Amino acid sequence: MTRTAFALSAALSTLAAAGAVSAQSTPDYTADLNAMPARPVATVPTPQPESRPVESRTVPQPEPAAPPPTQAAPQPQTRPQPATPAPVSAAPEPRPTASASAPPAPTPAPASTAPAAPRALTRAELEALPFAVTLPEGYTLTAGRPGPDFQVWTVRKGGLAQLMIYAGPNAQFPIHDGEMVEAGGRTTVVVMEEGRRRALEHLFRQSAAPNHIHVWIASVDGADRDRAEAIGHGVSPR
């Protein structure tokens, strides 16, 4: 055995002996620890997630559609029943006494009659007028209702007025619009009708009553208008 190997072997033996001695002198910490009572292990609480209150949201529900209106069934019309009249006891009729007298029957009112047609003046009445007038065949003169100080007469043919004559203190002259002509002691109103001159009215003025005698043609046309104009020309105060 070489010197080097011998030295190495000796070193190893020395180390083994030192290890044994060290093992005997070194306390057994593992055994001591196992012999000691067990310590409670502190448990760390596991953090729990924070719970937040959940807001409750009310979801609006759609309103149910209103049912369509139903037509009311027509009610049968009931006819009102006539009320039954209460029985009426017949009262005894009073007996007429001898002193009671029946009232006289009313006299019936006379039936209304149509107004009488205007009366034509007689020859004597014509002679008493404050004016003179010549009436052709078929024409008459009638008098109207007199006023307090005037009178109006009408020349008629078949009941239709042809010419009017006024006698009184104040005549409504002129009635027609036209040319004023002074001739024969009178004032005449002349107008143009259908290309010809026509005298429609005349006014006589005098100091004695009647102060005015007014003559004018009525609303006639054709041949009646021509004849009425001719009669008016023949009127003159007395």
Side-chain angles (χ1 to χ4, degrees):
M1 178 179 286
T2 63
R3 185 180 290 180
T4 302
F6 181 83
L8 181 60
S9 174
L12 291 174
S13 299
T14 302
L15 288 173
V21 174
S22 176
Q24 291 178 0
S25 61
T26 301
D28 192 355
Y29 291 102
T30 303
D32 295 338
L33 291 174
N34 291 335
M36 294 177 67
R39 296 181 179 179
V41 179
T43 60
V44 179
T46 304
Q48 298 295 330
E50 182 180 356
S51 61
R52 298 182 178 179
V54 179
E55 297 181 359
S56 60
R57 297 183 180 179
T58 303
V59 179
Q61 298 295 329
E63 297 182 0
T70 58
Q71 297 182 355
Q75 298 296 330
Q77 299 182 356
T78 59
R79 298 182 178 179
Q81 298 296 329
T84 305
V88 179
S89 59
E93 298 181 357
R95 296 181 179 180
T97 58
S99 60
S101 59
T107 304
S112 59
T113 58
R119 181 183 63 84
L121 299 183
T122 63
R123 182 176 295 275
E125 290 173 333
L126 291 174
E127 293 294 335
L129 294 175
F131 56 88
V133 58
T134 302
L135 298 178
E137 186 68 25
Y139 286 78
T140 59
L141 185 67
T142 61
R145 181 176 297 178
D149 53 359
F150 69 91
Q151 179 72 51
V152 179
W153 295 265
T154 305
V155 177
R156 299 178 182 273
K157 177 187 176 183
L160 181 63
Q162 306 284 317
L163 191 74
M164 308 294 293
I165 303 173
Y166 164 90
N170 189 14
Q172 295 181 357
F173 179 86
I175 297 176
H176 301 281
D177 294 332
E179 180 185 358
M180 296 286 188
V181 178
E182 297 288 343
R186 67 188 178 187
T187 304
T188 302
V189 178
V190 180
V191 299
M192 291 295 295
E193 288 186 357
E194 299 179 356
R196 57 168 291 187
R197 292 169 62 86
R198 188 185 295 277
L200 295 184
E201 56 182 318
H202 310 279
L203 178 64
F204 298 91
R205 296 180 177 92
Q206 55 188 8
S207 58
N211 302 105
H212 289 175
I213 296 177
H214 184 196
V215 182
W216 70 95
I217 297 175
S219 299
V220 290
D221 53 10
D224 288 338
R225 195 170 184 83
D226 295 338
R227 185 62 61 89
E229 182 184 3
I231 296 173
H233 276 293
V235 176
S236 60
R238 291 190 185 276

